[in-house]
Amino acid sequence: MSSGSIASASSRSNMRLTSVVSHLSDSKPKVVICRDLGPATALLMNRTDIEVVLWPEDRGCAREWLLENIKGAVGVLVLLPDIVNAELLEAAGPNLRVVSTMSVGYEHIDLPLMAQRKIRVGYTPDVLTEAVADLSVMLALMAGRNDGVAYSLVKNGDASGSWSKFNWSPFTFCGPQLSTTASSPNRTVGFLGFGRISQATLARLVPFGITHCIYTGSPTSKPETARDAALKAKYKLAAVERVDLDRLARESDVLFVLTPGGKETYHLVDAAFLKKMKEMSVLINTSRGTVVDSDALATALHEKWIWGAGLDVVEGEPRIGTDHPLVKEPRCVIVPHIGSATFQTRMDMATRAIDNLIGGVFGTEMPAELDAR
Amino acid sequence: MSSGSIASASSRSNMRLTSVVSHLSDSKPKVVICRDLGPATALLMNRTDIEVVLWPEDRGCAREWLLENIKGAVGVLVLLPDIVNAELLEAAGPNLRVVSTMSVGYEHIDLPLMAQRKIRVGYTPDVLTEAVADLSVMLALMAGRNDGVAYSLVKNGDASGSWSKFNWSPFTFCGPQLSTTASSPNRTVGFLGFGRISQATLARLVPFGITHCIYTGSPTSKPETARDAALKAKYKLAAVERVDLDRLARESDVLFVLTPGGKETYHLVDAAFLKKMKEMSVLINTSRGTVVDSDALATALHEKWIWGAGLDVVEGEPRIGTDHPLVKEPRCVIVPHIGSATFQTRMDMATRAIDNLIGGVFGTEMPAELDAR
């Protein structure tokens, strides 16, 4: 399916020529695709009603290539690293009708400018809910169960050698248990933000025996007491309750950060918040790195204010070196923003992004259109 | 609580003297404890009706110490590495009434010999069900989501550098998704062995949207069609069905090995079995290493017969070096037998082992007694 290798092998002396182009014609609307979409690329290249210009290399789209190739385009399919700003619109010219991003986030798109120019914007929410909820549960288990240390022992050995040499004792590698037991029958799960992914994560935790669910919502949002009562009854929990940040920090045994990024949520989890948390609690962040103050979290782990952390996102990513203070904390498990990285979900996201693009190009419905106004 | 450090600091010239001994008296029954049980040790040391001799060091109990100290003991509390055989009974003498192991396995105890000598045997089943089910789900998620590779990238860097340098593309790090989605609505979970831990694992997977459950049971066990129908109805699954090994291999998307060890299950998962499995399937073993042929599994991963594996146990553990073929496989996630390693569960296991010991010493009920006959 991938056509990148063919294009890469051709001459790069003329940027236009190194692109993969389908059905070249002046009469057909031109769309620019900033990334090979793997198996989904065929969904675009097989169409005869559009001209497709595809970034040909197996790395992020070069800005100069994009500025050159977007001239006259009606639509563009972008990813998080592709900044959609005045410069890009200027290069595109007046034909541009739609920007479709293969992401649930849209920090890279200047939305007021899009509204002003009447350019429609598509994104890919919902389809990644299940994959991110899966990863959230995985990280909660890994952070509690000392997985970083345990895994590293087997894989890399440690100061005292590898598995074959380590000194077992009845409490080696022990951590707090996610599931309840007869002698430890209560578990409170907290959510900073209680949208679709949080609720999908909650559903997964019910058979682990969790008993209480608390969460914080945006200060401007309305209470949803009827929904909460329904969730409480459905899952047979002792509580599903919206609380303030103070209670969220103090009462959660496992705390999931699942809130949008941006100024409103910047460093909501800071030193003051972390100091209120339980000593045996774990913190999971599978949303945006900016919500958590990395230095404060590193201190919290180092000084054992909390038990552990599981992170799919870190502020400043991907510029996170092996000397980052969180990477060096043994009880911090970090994966490189793979929340939606499953074949099923990424294929769904690519398909959704393509459907949004096509809807925008032909002025029909877009399955997931952002209201940019 | 740990008294090991005090004892270790004292002279080791006389083995008897270096032991931690409580309430020394010839009139009280003597028990020997082969490991400091952490916080649970106090439950023993505070008793005034027994004499407790505790192995004082923070490492596995030395055989010579055990053989020396077990003389005249009424009870002994052992762990998996402590072999209970004729040699040990000989050293103990005729007073020995009970062997209590802090483990669910009892391969280290010569059961026929115990029956012959009328020595009662206690173990700790049930209490670790939830902890092992938690870990089974964790490993299933990690194996599918390429966690080994993703985690190592952030933690250690790799050939192409760390997170900051890696070449993202829409399908980087992608693996098969555990949960179902609208476009991928079926998932079959298989269990090799369908006891308590398997059923607790199944319960946890229901909210992930799994649709089919298949399992194999011991050839001598009776079909449980009523139970299976009840589980199917309770979890709203398309099937809960006992199958043969062939179907288990061919149909499982995620396969959990959760069966006792020993001759009957030795290498049930071998090359022939693995060759039948789906290319996108993952194999999880949280029971006994001997059930899986390690060389065959390494080949299966290397040659991509299956997608990935998550192992808490490996044949020959703990003698598993960093050059073991499974440790070297990037899609094999291995943790060092930490299935029951949570504070809650290990404390429950220690408490249960102590209760078994006391019951055996005083000839009363043991909460979990093995039928050694």
Side-chain angles (χ1 to χ4, degrees):
Chain A
M1 259 356 128
S2 170
S3 38
S5 53
I6 302 164
S8 300
S10 68
S11 162
R12 289 185 195 171
S13 60
N14 180 325
M15 286 202 123
R16 190 68 173 77
L17 281 181
T18 61
S19 308
V20 178
V21 179
S22 76
H23 309 101
L24 198 59
S25 156
D26 284 344
S27 63
K28 288 176 188 169
K30 169 172 141 180
V31 298
V32 176
I33 313 298
C34 292
R35 260 301 189 169
D36 189 311
L37 302 178
T41 305
L43 299 175
L44 278 166
M45 302 308 279
N46 293 342
R47 293 186 73 106
T48 54
D49 56 352
I50 50 173
E51 178 200 333
V52 180
V53 181
L54 173 68
W55 165 245
E57 300 192 25
D58 186 21
R59 61 182 178 100
C61 179
R63 188 72 177 175
E64 61 204 83
W65 179 92
L66 180 57
L67 291 171
E68 170 71 22
N69 282 277
I70 202 169
K71 275 178 197 159
V74 177
V76 60
L77 193 154
V78 299
L79 287 99
L80 281 175
D82 307 312
I83 309 296
V84 182
N85 56 9
E87 179 196 43
L88 191 72
L89 300 200
E90 197 64 38
N95 285 357
L96 193 68
R97 279 185 225 159
V98 59
V99 172
S100 170
T101 182
M102 182 180 151
S103 61
V104 67
Y106 40 82
E107 304 94 309
H108 53 310
I109 303 173
D110 184 339
L111 289 188
L113 184 65
M114 299 299 117
Q116 185 192 321
R117 302 277 184 99
K118 295 195 166 53
I119 295 171
R120 297 168 76 185
V121 179
Y123 69 138
T124 59
D126 307 346
V127 289
L128 46 63
T129 299
E130 306 305 328
V132 180
D134 285 6
L135 199 85
S136 301
V137 173
M138 180 186 102
L139 288 172
L141 287 161
M142 289 173 72
R145 297 298 287 268
N146 289 315
D147 184 74
V149 183
Y151 177 75
S152 292
L153 173 77
V154 176
K155 203 76 179 179
N156 310 313
D158 68 0
S160 66
S162 62
W163 191 357
S164 50
K165 292 173 196 156
F166 98 95
N167 185 20
W168 189 92
S169 79
F171 289 87
T172 307
F173 291 125
C174 280
Q177 184 164 326
L178 179 58
S179 59
T180 50
T181 66
S183 63
S184 173
N186 291 300
R187 220 61 99 233
T188 297
V189 176
F191 294 95
L192 205 163
F194 199 55
R196 285 178 293 257
I197 299 173
S198 288
Q199 290 175 50
T201 303
L202 172 64
R204 282 160 174 72
L205 295 175
V206 170
F208 287 79
I210 62 140
T211 48
H212 296 71
C213 167
I214 54 178
Y215 70 89
T216 57
S218 156
T220 58
S221 68
K222 285 185 228 160
E224 300 214 46
T225 47
R227 181 207 56 197
D228 292 351
L231 285 174
K232 182 185 162 190
K234 179 180 178 186
Y235 296 140
K236 299 184 177 68
L237 300 177
V240 174
E241 189 182 356
R242 180 164 163 168
V243 299
D244 57 21
L245 274 174
D246 184 73
R247 271 191 66 193
L248 189 76
R250 289 185 196 284
E251 295 181 15
S252 298
D253 293 309
V254 185
L255 178 58
F256 294 91
V257 177
L258 281 165
T259 186
K263 287 175 196 165
E264 290 76 14
T265 59
Y266 180 78
H267 285 197
L268 272 185
V269 177
D270 58 8
F273 184 98
L274 290 160
K275 270 191 180 150
K276 292 175 193 164
M277 288 180 70
K278 295 179 180 178
E279 277 184 21
M280 296 298 283
S281 65
V282 297
L283 178 84
I284 310 305
N285 188 2
T286 44
S287 53
R288 284 293 176 262
T290 51
V291 187
V292 176
D293 179 339
S294 289
D295 291 334
L297 179 58
T299 304
L301 290 164
H302 200 71
E303 300 186 354
K304 300 192 182 351
W305 305 350
I306 68 172
W307 178 265
L311 309 176
D312 186 40
V313 292
V314 179
E315 187 175 7
E317 69 182 57
R319 293 179 305 284
I320 305 296
T322 51
D323 58 347
H324 188 282
L326 285 172
V327 175
K328 289 195 289 185
E329 276 304 314
R331 291 230 190 102
C332 190
V333 175
I334 310 180
V335 289
H337 206 149
I338 58 170
S340 63
T342 71
F343 290 115
Q344 289 87 345
T345 289
R346 287 279 167 85
M347 193 68 189
D348 285 347
M349 289 172 71
T351 306
R352 176 66 54 95
I354 290 169
D355 290 346
N356 281 334
L357 181 75
I358 299 299
V361 165
F362 293 107
T364 58
E365 195 196 350
M366 291 166 58
E369 182 170 5
L370 263 175
D371 186 350
R373 287 161 299 179
Chain B
M1 265 349 139
S2 171
S3 39
S5 52
I6 303 165
S8 300
S10 70
S11 161
R12 290 185 194 172
S13 59
N14 180 326
M15 288 201 121
R16 189 67 173 75
L17 283 180
T18 61
S19 309
V20 178
V21 180
S22 76
H23 309 103
L24 198 59
S25 156
D26 284 346
S27 64
K28 291 176 188 170
K30 167 171 142 180
V31 298
V32 176
I33 314 296
C34 292
R35 260 299 190 172
D36 190 312
L37 301 178
T41 304
L43 299 176
L44 278 167
M45 303 308 279
N46 294 341
R47 292 186 72 107
T48 55
D49 55 352
I50 50 174
E51 178 200 333
V52 180
V53 180
L54 173 67
W55 165 246
E57 299 191 26
D58 187 22
R59 61 184 178 96
C61 179
R63 187 72 177 175
E64 60 205 84
W65 178 93
L66 180 57
L67 292 171
E68 171 72 22
N69 283 277
I70 202 167
K71 276 178 197 160
V74 177
V76 60
L77 194 154
V78 300
L79 287 98
L80 282 175
D82 307 312
I83 309 298
V84 181
N85 55 10
E87 178 194 43
L88 192 71
L89 300 200
E90 196 64 37
N95 286 357
L96 194 68
R97 279 186 226 156
V98 58
V99 172
S100 171
T101 183
M102 182 181 150
S103 61
V104 67
Y106 40 83
E107 305 94 309
H108 54 309
I109 303 173
D110 184 338
L111 290 187
L113 184 64
M114 300 298 117
Q116 187 192 320
R117 302 277 184 98
K118 294 193 167 57
I119 295 171
R120 296 168 77 185
V121 179
Y123 68 138
T124 60
D126 306 346
V127 289
L128 47 63
T129 300
E130 306 304 328
V132 180
D134 285 6
L135 199 86
S136 301
V137 173
M138 181 186 102
L139 288 173
L141 287 161
M142 289 174 71
R145 297 298 287 269
N146 287 314
D147 184 74
V149 183
Y151 176 75
S152 292
L153 173 76
V154 176
K155 203 76 178 178
N156 310 313
D158 68 359
S160 67
S162 64
W163 192 355
S164 50
K165 292 173 197 156
F166 96 94
N167 184 20
W168 190 93
S169 78
F171 290 88
T172 307
F173 292 125
C174 279
Q177 183 165 326
L178 179 57
S179 59
T180 50
T181 66
S183 63
S184 173
N186 291 300
R187 219 63 96 234
T188 297
V189 176
F191 294 94
L192 204 164
F194 199 54
R196 286 179 293 257
I197 300 174
S198 288
Q199 290 175 49
T201 303
L202 172 64
R204 283 160 173 72
L205 295 175
V206 170
F208 287 78
I210 61 139
T211 48
H212 297 70
C213 167
I214 55 178
Y215 70 89
T216 57
S218 156
T220 57
S221 68
K222 284 184 226 159
E224 301 214 45
T225 47
R227 180 205 58 194
D228 293 351
L231 286 174
K232 182 184 164 192
K234 178 181 178 185
Y235 296 140
K236 299 184 176 67
L237 300 177
V240 174
E241 189 182 357
R242 180 165 164 167
V243 299
D244 59 20
L245 274 174
D246 185 73
R247 272 192 67 194
L248 188 76
R250 289 185 197 285
E251 296 181 17
S252 298
D253 294 307
V254 184
L255 178 58
F256 294 92
V257 177
L258 280 164
T259 186
K263 286 177 196 163
E264 289 76 14
T265 59
Y266 181 78
H267 285 198
L268 271 185
V269 176
D270 58 8
F273 184 97
L274 289 160
K275 270 192 180 149
K276 292 175 193 164
M277 288 181 71
K278 295 180 180 178
E279 278 184 20
M280 297 297 284
S281 65
V282 296
L283 178 84
I284 310 304
N285 188 2
T286 43
S287 54
R288 284 291 176 265
T290 51
V291 187
V292 176
D293 179 337
S294 289
D295 290 334
L297 178 58
T299 304
L301 289 165
H302 199 72
E303 299 185 356
K304 299 193 183 349
W305 304 350
I306 68 172
W307 178 264
L311 309 176
D312 186 42
V313 291
V314 179
E315 187 176 7
E317 67 181 58
R319 293 179 305 282
I320 305 296
T322 51
D323 59 345
H324 188 282
L326 285 171
V327 175
K328 289 195 290 185
E329 275 304 314
R331 292 229 190 102
C332 189
V333 175
I334 310 180
V335 289
H337 207 149
I338 58 171
S340 63
T342 70
F343 291 115
Q344 289 88 343
T345 290
R346 287 279 167 86
M347 192 68 190
D348 285 349
M349 288 172 71
T351 305
R352 176 66 54 96
I354 289 169
D355 290 346
N356 281 335
L357 180 74
I358 299 298
V361 165
F362 293 107
T364 58
E365 196 196 350
M366 291 167 58
E369 182 169 3
L370 264 175
D371 186 351
R373 286 163 299 179

